[in-house]
Amino acid sequence: MKKWRRKMNFEATGLPWVPTSPHIPFAHSAYFYPVSGILGELGYMSIGVGYTLPFEMFAAEWIKAEEFANALNAKRLPGITFRPIHLKPYYSVGQGKNYQGVQIHLTDFAKARLSDIQFHVMEVAAQLYPEHKVFDHAPKNRFDMFDKVSGSDYIRTEFSKNHRFADIQSYWTKDENAFKRASKKYYLYP
């Protein structure tokens, strides 16, 4: 860990990336895992696993790419841009089907709130395509894993009421600052 500093990203280390998973093939892939991984547990929308952009996109048969990208970009989320995408997944969710959606571009990693993105995506999907609200149509046998990675069923049950991130945002972020303060005393490196 010589010369490593906490604020460095992997690229700044100068080390070669060793894939930690077949779906985390590049150093930048690790940034995207928290962007879509929780929603991906539902198996309802493609998050790029089964295509060349694992964790870097959201797509489905019922999405209109340009409309979806415009609505998400209208939210002006810091450090993020959404680009329309048309694809046919090779395997996993949507295998062989024509899908449309968005590719996520992280333009400022320091400003982007990575795990929030998937909730904004679910919100916009519910607004534009109310007949496809995620928790109304995702396989119910996948809810348990979604709840586990979310920390409880609270996120799912509260979000399902109005399909708005604002309804769960304070709960989703409530422990961030306390964790940052509590964890500092355990840091081995500055």
Side-chain angles (χ1 to χ4, degrees):
M1 299 299 285
K2 288 180 180 176
K3 299 182 184 177
W4 183 81
R5 296 293 172 258
R6 186 163 299 282
K7 292 188 180 197
M8 295 172 84
N9 62 20
F10 190 82
E11 290 84 359
T13 68
L15 298 170
W17 177 256
V18 177
T20 57
S21 152
H23 299 124
I24 311 280
F26 309 107
H28 76 268
S29 303
Y31 287 113
F32 289 95
Y33 185 68
V35 167
S36 60
I38 296 172
L39 175 56
E41 293 296 343
L42 294 171
Y44 183 58
M45 296 173 82
S46 173
I47 58 168
V49 171
Y51 192 63
T52 58
L53 300 167
F55 304 107
E56 294 185 43
M57 52 163 274
F58 298 94
E61 279 187 296
W62 39 268
I63 291 174
K64 295 179 180 127
E66 288 73 17
E67 174 182 61
F68 201 46
N70 289 339
L72 284 162
N73 285 324
K75 289 174 113 356
R76 300 194 188 291
L77 301 175
I80 304 159
T81 300
F82 298 92
R83 181 181 72 82
I85 187 170
H86 299 255
L87 67 140
K88 189 181 284 192
Y90 306 114
Y91 63 92
S92 193
V93 176
Q95 179 179 356
K97 296 178 181 174
N98 291 317
Y99 268 29
Q100 294 185 41
V102 292
Q103 180 181 4
I104 301 109
H105 291 275
L106 299 176
T107 57
D108 188 334
F109 294 102
K111 291 181 181 174
R113 296 203 34 92
L114 301 179
S115 69
D116 295 1
I117 295 170
Q118 56 212 320
F119 296 108
H120 289 289
V121 166
M122 289 190 288
E123 177 181 306
V124 168
Q127 289 168 351
L128 293 177
Y129 317 108
E131 67 280 9
H132 294 286
K133 292 175 181 171
V134 65
F135 293 114
D136 292 351
H137 299 283
K140 300 215 180 331
N141 65 346
R142 305 287 297 253
F143 286 3
D144 185 54
M145 186 53 73
F146 180 92
D147 293 347
K148 284 178 182 173
V149 296
S150 296
S152 78
D153 67 351
Y154 181 86
I155 296 295
R156 177 177 51 82
T157 56
E158 286 302 305
F159 186 87
S160 295
K161 291 177 183 175
N162 300 305
H163 300 275
R164 290 190 325 233
F165 181 52
D167 294 344
I168 61 162
Q169 188 170 13
S170 63
Y171 184 85
W172 185 248
T173 61
K174 68 182 172 43
D175 298 321
E176 287 178 8
N177 291 328
F179 176 80
K180 286 177 186 176
R181 285 191 304 275
S183 64
K184 272 195 174 186
K185 66 182 174 184
Y186 301 102
Y187 293 170
L188 299 176
Y189 302 93

